[in-house]
Amino acid sequence: MKTAASVNEGPFRCPQRGCSRSYRRKEHLTRHSASHSQAPACECPFCDKVFSRTDILRQHVRALHKDKKLESSRTVIACSHCRSRKTRCNGRAPCEACSRRGLQCSLSHLSLSRQGNPKNAETLGYVEIYFEKFHPVWPLLHRATFEPSQEPPILLQSVVMMGMWMTGDEKMQCHAVKLHDKLSSLVYEQRDKWAAISSESEVQSPWPMATYQATLIQIIFASLKDAHSQVDIQLARTISTSCSRLLTTLTETCLRKNMFFYPEILAQFCGDSVPDVFIWVGIEEVKRFALALYEVCRTCHIQRENSPRNSPRSANRGRSLLTLADLQFALPDSDELWHATSDLAARLAEDGPLYYDNNDAAANWISQSSETVAEARYDI
């Protein structure tokens, strides 16, 4: 069995005095070396761990100190603009940062949907229904680290919306449809904040994964609620023009950001002060998001604007938007590990960083496998 120490050993050793870290790749050493010029400032009050970023500290506390609560001066609800740029948000509607830049703050829009929201206990109940009924089929989110009070509003509201729908109650489903109309319109109207315009300018920018996950949930919901949608002989469902716009924008954005190329995925999450468990969770969420997006594209006909809805040429297979050849990473780890809770960190520490084992070799990537084998091993 590999140990964490043996996996981390490599020919590229850190020259910093007192540092014993070594890496198998030069680019990993370069990324690590940059951390020596950044003094860690976030100390865990419940153990001796120190982190350079507050978000990693919060993830650490949620995963390893479940009975503890981290007091912080930073707001737990940030607008989509501040969150995507990892800047401070004061949580007001609109927030200071958006007001200063003359931007439309997402918190202002979401305050409208909060007027009819259930109370906190009911909200948590819909979150549980989401994970009990929707999550087993579409495992987009990591349940063990999903904390409603700390998630971006757009993602939390999307989860609540889907939870309402999955109750099967007609009244709750009507509320879910109304919430969907507001949220999907908000996501599309603010696409200039999350959609990539060109590959060259967007590859290196941080990925707002919560926005992408929420958008995909909105697209799946749109397909679910349209019970009378046309389905062809290949069981491909025709989705509305508005849903087609979201799906096309989301897919093209991910491809332009090179999000499904494993070295880029690793670079987004890997860092000297980031525990292996959080790197693993981040990588797994991208993989599972990508496969879910592929499945949606595979089973949908998309509507083109300015074309008659019933025209044969107005709809195209969404599969052309995303193919298995675009998925340049290995299959996700086991669902059993993905659904693990309290012992996940210990298991990853025992087995070593699993995200290295099957991903470094391009031969293991989905793009290099046959479509039949890939779909058989990941049936969503």
Side-chain angles (χ1 to χ4, degrees), residues 8 24 83 103 105 139 157 167 178 227 236 268 292 299 304 344:
N8 285 333
R24 293 188 295 172
R83 184 175 178 85
L103 299 175
C105 184
Q157 293 289 335
T167 63
K178 292 178 181 178
Q268 279 282 320
T299 58
R304 298 296 185 184
L344 177 59

Side-chain angles (χ1 to χ4, degrees), residues 212-339:
Y212 298 155
Q213 290 166 332
T215 303
L216 185 53
I217 292 173
Q218 294 295 324
I219 294 170
I220 296 172
F221 181 90
S223 183
L224 288 176
K225 75 180 181 67
D226 293 336
H228 302 293
S229 296
Q230 295 179 346
V231 177
D232 67 13
I233 197 170
Q234 294 179 317
L235 302 182
R237 185 180 299 274
T238 299
I239 56 177
S240 66
T241 302
S242 59
C243 186
S244 296
R245 286 199 306 258
L246 269 183
L247 179 58
T248 301
T249 304
L250 177 62
T251 306
E252 292 178 350
T253 291
C254 293
L255 292 174
R256 284 173 178 157
K257 284 179 174 285
N258 213 10
M259 281 181 57
F260 305 146
F261 180 50
Y262 182 72
E264 287 292 337
I265 300 174
L266 181 62
Q268 279 282 320
F269 301 102
C270 193
D272 181 55
S273 61
V274 182
D276 283 334
V277 62
F278 300 133
I279 298 175
W280 182 85
V281 168
I283 291 173
E284 284 290 302
E285 281 201 325
V286 174
K287 287 183 175 184
R288 291 169 184 270
F289 165 82
L291 285 164
L293 181 60
Y294 167 76
E295 181 68 12
V296 171
C297 290
R298 188 179 71 85
T299 58
C300 287
H301 276 312
I302 57 174
Q303 289 286 334
R304 298 296 185 184
E305 293 185 87
N306 303 321
S307 298
R309 181 175 177 83
N310 295 323
S311 169
R313 295 185 179 181
S314 68
N316 295 278
R317 285 300 294 268
R319 188 172 185 172
S320 62
L321 295 173
L322 187 66
T323 68
L324 288 172
D326 296 314
L327 307 183
Q328 297 176 298
F329 54 81
L331 287 164
D333 281 318
S334 68
D335 284 342
E336 189 270 333
L337 192 62
W338 179 243
H339 296 309

Side-chain angles (χ1 to χ4, degrees), residues 93-94 104-118 153 157 175 178-179 181-183 185-186 189-190:
Q104 206 167 24
C105 184
S106 61
L107 297 181
S108 299
H109 287 276
L110 289 175
S111 64
L112 296 176
S113 61
R114 288 194 186 111
Q115 295 174 5
N117 268 0
Q157 293 289 335
H175 286 307
K178 292 178 181 178
L179 184 54
D181 292 340
K182 293 178 180 179
L183 292 176
S185 296
L186 168 63
E189 288 169 3
Q190 296 200 344

Side-chain angles (χ1 to χ4, degrees), residues 44-46 61-62 64-71 150:
C44 178
F46 313 117
V61 172
R62 289 206 304 264
L64 302 182
H65 307 289
K66 292 183 178 295
D67 59 332
K68 306 292 185 181
K69 184 176 181 181
L70 183 65
E71 297 296 334
Q150 299 187 29

Side-chain angles (χ1 to χ4, degrees), residues 44-63:
C44 178
F46 313 117
C47 66
D48 59 355
K49 295 289 186 181
V50 180
F51 306 98
S52 60
R53 288 164 42 188
T54 56
D55 59 331
I56 299 301
L57 171 61
R58 289 196 300 272
Q59 290 178 338
H60 163 78
V61 172
R62 289 206 304 264

Side-chain angles (χ1 to χ4, degrees), residues 116 118 122 126 129 160-180 221:
E122 292 176 313
Y126 294 131
I129 293 173
V160 169
M161 171 204 70
M162 188 62 77
M164 286 180 174
W165 180 266
M166 297 304 294
T167 63
D169 180 85
E170 186 176 348
K171 183 178 179 181
M172 287 299 99
Q173 289 186 333
C174 287
H175 286 307
V177 170
K178 292 178 181 178
L179 184 54
H180 165 73
F221 181 90

